[in-house]
Amino acid sequence: MPQPKEPMKPREPKEYAGREITVSFEARRCLHAAECVHGLPQVFDLARRPWVSPDDAPADQVAEVVRRCPSGALRYRYADGRAEEPGSPASVERTGTGRLVMRGDLVVRTPYGERRETRVTLCGCGATGNRPYCDQSGPCAER
């Protein structure tokens, strides 16, 4: 079994504020599923800086596409303070490579404390440097 790497200290997510919705992005959690860029390319454009422009689509559409992000790297908060509601019941799916894709009202224990989550992809092989989140550095990320 691969040896786990020293865990990375979490960074604050980058926020992209719009008039009706703010999208936050935690780069270390991104697994490049590309749900965002395929779902709303006018909002999520990797060739543009800043790459997220939340005002380029209706806020409800932005929220719907953010909810497709399996890793939880993308999150949203409406201007009135509403945020994503966790799915119920919680679900856990093991991918063919061993990653655990979870949705629901989750508490994830990390080396730096507990985090409340609604969507996560956890490492199934233990080789991640972003414990317990998958960072695609071990065999569970191979396709």
PDB file of all heavy atoms in Angstrom, residues 36-55:
ATOM      1  N   CYS A  36     -18.394  21.879 -14.021  1.00  0.00           N
ATOM      2  CA  CYS A  36     -18.647  23.321 -14.073  1.00  0.00           C
ATOM      3  C   CYS A  36     -18.438  23.875 -15.484  1.00  0.00           C
ATOM      4  O   CYS A  36     -19.315  24.546 -16.017  1.00  0.00           O
ATOM      5  CB  CYS A  36     -17.770  24.046 -13.060  1.00  0.00           C
ATOM      6  SG  CYS A  36     -16.000  23.724 -13.220  1.00  0.00           S
ATOM      7  N   VAL A  37     -17.288  23.596 -16.085  1.00  0.00           N
ATOM      8  CA  VAL A  37     -16.987  24.172 -17.402  1.00  0.00           C
ATOM      9  C   VAL A  37     -17.889  23.610 -18.495  1.00  0.00           C
ATOM     10  O   VAL A  37     -18.195  24.308 -19.458  1.00  0.00           O
ATOM     11  CB  VAL A  37     -15.494  24.030 -17.783  1.00  0.00           C
ATOM     12  CG1 VAL A  37     -14.624  24.811 -16.827  1.00  0.00           C
ATOM     13  CG2 VAL A  37     -15.047  22.592 -17.839  1.00  0.00           C
ATOM     14  N   HIS A  38     -18.343  22.370 -18.335  1.00  0.00           N
ATOM     15  CA  HIS A  38     -19.287  21.813 -19.302  1.00  0.00           C
ATOM     16  C   HIS A  38     -20.709  22.296 -19.027  1.00  0.00           C
ATOM     17  O   HIS A  38     -21.482  22.492 -19.963  1.00  0.00           O
ATOM     18  CB  HIS A  38     -19.254  20.284 -19.292  1.00  0.00           C
ATOM     19  CG  HIS A  38     -17.961  19.717 -19.762  1.00  0.00           C
ATOM     20  ND1 HIS A  38     -17.400  19.998 -20.975  1.00  0.00           N
ATOM     21  CD2 HIS A  38     -17.087  18.882 -19.149  1.00  0.00           C
ATOM     22  CE1 HIS A  38     -16.245  19.371 -21.111  1.00  0.00           C
ATOM     23  NE2 HIS A  38     -16.030  18.693 -20.001  1.00  0.00           N
ATOM     24  N   GLY A  39     -21.033  22.510 -17.764  1.00  0.00           N
ATOM     25  CA  GLY A  39     -22.393  22.906 -17.390  1.00  0.00           C
ATOM     26  C   GLY A  39     -22.729  24.344 -17.702  1.00  0.00           C
ATOM     27  O   GLY A  39     -23.839  24.639 -18.159  1.00  0.00           O
ATOM     28  N   LEU A  40     -21.801  25.262 -17.435  1.00  0.00           N
ATOM     29  CA  LEU A  40     -22.021  26.692 -17.699  1.00  0.00           C
ATOM     30  C   LEU A  40     -20.699  27.319 -18.159  1.00  0.00           C
ATOM     31  O   LEU A  40     -20.041  28.029 -17.404  1.00  0.00           O
ATOM     32  CB  LEU A  40     -22.520  27.416 -16.444  1.00  0.00           C
ATOM     33  CG  LEU A  40     -23.987  27.315 -16.097  1.00  0.00           C
ATOM     34  CD1 LEU A  40     -24.271  28.000 -14.758  1.00  0.00           C
ATOM     35  CD2 LEU A  40     -24.865  27.908 -17.189  1.00  0.00           C
ATOM     36  N   PRO A  41     -20.310  27.077 -19.399  1.00  0.00           N
ATOM     37  CA  PRO A  41     -19.023  27.603 -19.859  1.00  0.00           C
ATOM     38  C   PRO A  41     -18.930  29.122 -19.842  1.00  0.00           C
ATOM     39  O   PRO A  41     -17.833  29.667 -19.744  1.00  0.00           O
ATOM     40  CB  PRO A  41     -18.886  27.043 -21.280  1.00  0.00           C
ATOM     41  CG  PRO A  41     -20.254  26.613 -21.680  1.00  0.00           C
ATOM     42  CD  PRO A  41     -21.002  26.304 -20.420  1.00  0.00           C
ATOM     43  N   GLN A  42     -20.065  29.824 -19.885  1.00  0.00           N
ATOM     44  CA  GLN A  42     -20.021  31.281 -19.823  1.00  0.00           C
ATOM     45  C   GLN A  42     -19.699  31.775 -18.411  1.00  0.00           C
ATOM     46  O   GLN A  42     -19.232  32.891 -18.235  1.00  0.00           O
ATOM     47  CB  GLN A  42     -21.327  31.909 -20.337  1.00  0.00           C
ATOM     48  CG  GLN A  42     -22.531  31.716 -19.442  1.00  0.00           C
ATOM     49  CD  GLN A  42     -23.306  30.428 -19.698  1.00  0.00           C
ATOM     50  OE1 GLN A  42     -22.762  29.425 -20.131  1.00  0.00           O
ATOM     51  NE2 GLN A  42     -24.601  30.472 -19.398  1.00  0.00           N
ATOM     52  N   VAL A  43     -19.899  30.942 -17.404  1.00  0.00           N
ATOM     53  CA  VAL A  43     -19.589  31.297 -16.015  1.00  0.00           C
ATOM     54  C   VAL A  43     -18.226  30.750 -15.612  1.00  0.00           C
ATOM     55  O   VAL A  43     -17.439  31.434 -14.959  1.00  0.00           O
ATOM     56  CB  VAL A  43     -20.682  30.768 -15.058  1.00  0.00           C
ATOM     57  CG1 VAL A  43     -20.281  30.971 -13.592  1.00  0.00           C
ATOM     58  CG2 VAL A  43     -22.015  31.442 -15.348  1.00  0.00           C
ATOM     59  N   PHE A  44     -17.941  29.511 -15.995  1.00  0.00           N
ATOM     60  CA  PHE A  44     -16.700  28.828 -15.613  1.00  0.00           C
ATOM     61  C   PHE A  44     -15.838  28.672 -16.864  1.00  0.00           C
ATOM     62  O   PHE A  44     -16.041  27.756 -17.662  1.00  0.00           O
ATOM     63  CB  PHE A  44     -17.011  27.460 -14.995  1.00  0.00           C
ATOM     64  CG  PHE A  44     -17.903  27.551 -13.791  1.00  0.00           C
ATOM     65  CD1 PHE A  44     -19.277  27.366 -13.903  1.00  0.00           C
ATOM     66  CD2 PHE A  44     -17.370  27.822 -12.540  1.00  0.00           C
ATOM     67  CE1 PHE A  44     -20.104  27.448 -12.788  1.00  0.00           C
ATOM     68  CE2 PHE A  44     -18.186  27.920 -11.422  1.00  0.00           C
ATOM     69  CZ  PHE A  44     -19.560  27.728 -11.548  1.00  0.00           C
ATOM     70  N   ASP A  45     -14.885  29.582 -17.042  1.00  0.00           N
ATOM     71  CA  ASP A  45     -14.052  29.616 -18.246  1.00  0.00           C
ATOM     72  C   ASP A  45     -12.584  29.629 -17.834  1.00  0.00           C
ATOM     73  O   ASP A  45     -12.072  30.650 -17.360  1.00  0.00           O
ATOM     74  CB  ASP A  45     -14.396  30.857 -19.067  1.00  0.00           C
ATOM     75  CG  ASP A  45     -13.636  30.952 -20.366  1.00  0.00           C
ATOM     76  OD1 ASP A  45     -12.676  30.172 -20.587  1.00  0.00           O
ATOM     77  OD2 ASP A  45     -13.989  31.829 -21.180  1.00  0.00           O
ATOM     78  N   LEU A  46     -11.909  28.499 -18.014  1.00  0.00           N
ATOM     79  CA  LEU A  46     -10.515  28.366 -17.577  1.00  0.00           C
ATOM     80  C   LEU A  46      -9.553  29.276 -18.323  1.00  0.00           C
ATOM     81  O   LEU A  46      -8.457  29.549 -17.830  1.00  0.00           O
ATOM     82  CB  LEU A  46     -10.060  26.907 -17.716  1.00  0.00           C
ATOM     83  CG  LEU A  46     -10.828  25.912 -16.849  1.00  0.00           C
ATOM     84  CD1 LEU A  46     -10.415  24.481 -17.181  1.00  0.00           C
ATOM     85  CD2 LEU A  46     -10.624  26.211 -15.381  1.00  0.00           C
ATOM     86  N   ALA A  47      -9.944  29.783 -19.488  1.00  0.00           N
ATOM     87  CA  ALA A  47      -9.072  30.660 -20.265  1.00  0.00           C
ATOM     88  C   ALA A  47      -9.184  32.121 -19.837  1.00  0.00           C
ATOM     89  O   ALA A  47      -8.411  32.956 -20.297  1.00  0.00           O
ATOM     90  CB  ALA A  47      -9.392  30.535 -21.760  1.00  0.00           C
ATOM     91  N   ARG A  48     -10.115  32.422 -18.968  1.00  0.00           N
ATOM     92  CA  ARG A  48     -10.377  33.805 -18.558  1.00  0.00           C
ATOM     93  C   ARG A  48      -9.888  34.014 -17.127  1.00  0.00           C
ATOM     94  O   ARG A  48      -9.853  33.097 -16.326  1.00  0.00           O
ATOM     95  CB  ARG A  48     -11.894  34.045 -18.655  1.00  0.00           C
ATOM     96  CG  ARG A  48     -12.346  35.420 -18.262  1.00  0.00           C
ATOM     97  CD  ARG A  48     -13.860  35.559 -18.325  1.00  0.00           C
ATOM     98  NE  ARG A  48     -14.485  34.614 -17.396  1.00  0.00           N
ATOM     99  CZ  ARG A  48     -15.663  34.047 -17.579  1.00  0.00           C
ATOM    100  NH1 ARG A  48     -16.357  34.306 -18.656  1.00  0.00           N
ATOM    101  NH2 ARG A  48     -16.161  33.212 -16.691  1.00  0.00           N
ATOM    102  N   ARG A  49      -9.523  35.237 -16.783  1.00  0.00           N
ATOM    103  CA  ARG A  49      -9.195  35.609 -15.405  1.00  0.00           C
ATOM    104  C   ARG A  49     -10.056  36.785 -15.007  1.00  0.00           C
ATOM    105  O   ARG A  49     -10.066  37.781 -15.725  1.00  0.00           O
ATOM    106  CB  ARG A  49      -7.707  35.956 -15.255  1.00  0.00           C
ATOM    107  CG  ARG A  49      -6.791  34.766 -15.471  1.00  0.00           C
ATOM    108  CD  ARG A  49      -6.974  33.723 -14.366  1.00  0.00           C
ATOM    109  NE  ARG A  49      -6.199  32.518 -14.596  1.00  0.00           N
ATOM    110  CZ  ARG A  49      -6.679  31.379 -15.051  1.00  0.00           C
ATOM    111  NH1 ARG A  49      -7.942  31.247 -15.349  1.00  0.00           N
ATOM    112  NH2 ARG A  49      -5.905  30.330 -15.210  1.00  0.00           N
ATOM    113  N   PRO A  50     -10.803  36.698 -13.940  1.00  0.00           N
ATOM    114  CA  PRO A  50     -10.984  35.498 -13.127  1.00  0.00           C
ATOM    115  C   PRO A  50     -11.783  34.443 -13.896  1.00  0.00           C
ATOM    116  O   PRO A  50     -12.604  34.776 -14.750  1.00  0.00           O
ATOM    117  CB  PRO A  50     -11.741  35.982 -11.904  1.00  0.00           C
ATOM    118  CG  PRO A  50     -12.454  37.210 -12.355  1.00  0.00           C
ATOM    119  CD  PRO A  50     -11.593  37.823 -13.434  1.00  0.00           C
ATOM    120  N   TRP A  51     -11.540  33.185 -13.582  1.00  0.00           N
ATOM    121  CA  TRP A  51     -12.143  32.101 -14.346  1.00  0.00           C
ATOM    122  C   TRP A  51     -13.611  31.856 -13.992  1.00  0.00           C
ATOM    123  O   TRP A  51     -14.319  31.185 -14.741  1.00  0.00           O
ATOM    124  CB  TRP A  51     -11.327  30.819 -14.231  1.00  0.00           C
ATOM    125  CG  TRP A  51     -11.457  30.083 -12.930  1.00  0.00           C
ATOM    126  CD1 TRP A  51     -10.852  30.376 -11.750  1.00  0.00           C
ATOM    127  CD2 TRP A  51     -12.244  28.910 -12.693  1.00  0.00           C
ATOM    128  NE1 TRP A  51     -11.210  29.468 -10.789  1.00  0.00           N
ATOM    129  CE2 TRP A  51     -12.055  28.550 -11.342  1.00  0.00           C
ATOM    130  CE3 TRP A  51     -13.075  28.130 -13.487  1.00  0.00           C
ATOM    131  CZ2 TRP A  51     -12.683  27.454 -10.768  1.00  0.00           C
ATOM    132  CZ3 TRP A  51     -13.699  27.030 -12.911  1.00  0.00           C
ATOM    133  CH2 TRP A  51     -13.501  26.707 -11.572  1.00  0.00           C
ATOM    134  N   VAL A  52     -14.086  32.414 -12.859  1.00  0.00           N
ATOM    135  CA  VAL A  52     -15.487  32.283 -12.457  1.00  0.00           C
ATOM    136  C   VAL A  52     -16.134  33.660 -12.514  1.00  0.00           C
ATOM    137  O   VAL A  52     -15.649  34.609 -11.902  1.00  0.00           O
ATOM    138  CB  VAL A  52     -15.614  31.704 -11.024  1.00  0.00           C
ATOM    139  CG1 VAL A  52     -17.087  31.587 -10.627  1.00  0.00           C
ATOM    140  CG2 VAL A  52     -14.913  30.363 -10.904  1.00  0.00           C
ATOM    141  N   SER A  53     -17.231  33.747 -13.253  1.00  0.00           N
ATOM    142  CA  SER A  53     -17.983  34.995 -13.392  1.00  0.00           C
ATOM    143  C   SER A  53     -19.455  34.715 -13.083  1.00  0.00           C
ATOM    144  O   SER A  53     -20.254  34.440 -13.979  1.00  0.00           O
ATOM    145  CB  SER A  53     -17.813  35.538 -14.813  1.00  0.00           C
ATOM    146  OG  SER A  53     -18.486  36.751 -14.959  1.00  0.00           O
ATOM    147  N   PRO A  54     -19.828  34.734 -11.781  1.00  0.00           N
ATOM    148  CA  PRO A  54     -21.169  34.298 -11.386  1.00  0.00           C
ATOM    149  C   PRO A  54     -22.321  35.107 -11.949  1.00  0.00           C
ATOM    150  O   PRO A  54     -23.444  34.611 -11.981  1.00  0.00           O
ATOM    151  CB  PRO A  54     -21.149  34.394  -9.858  1.00  0.00           C
ATOM    152  CG  PRO A  54     -19.834  34.883  -9.459  1.00  0.00           C
ATOM    153  CD  PRO A  54     -19.012  35.130 -10.661  1.00  0.00           C
ATOM    154  N   ASP A  55     -22.081  36.311 -12.415  1.00  0.00           N
ATOM    155  CA  ASP A  55     -23.165  37.133 -12.962  1.00  0.00           C
ATOM    156  C   ASP A  55     -23.487  36.810 -14.423  1.00  0.00           C
ATOM    157  O   ASP A  55     -24.397  37.400 -14.995  1.00  0.00           O
ATOM    158  CB  ASP A  55     -22.841  38.617 -12.828  1.00  0.00           C
ATOM    159  CG  ASP A  55     -22.928  39.098 -11.396  1.00  0.00           C
ATOM    160  OD1 ASP A  55     -23.662  38.474 -10.589  1.00  0.00           O
ATOM    161  OD2 ASP A  55     -22.254  40.094 -11.073  1.00  0.00           O
TER     162      ASP A  55
END
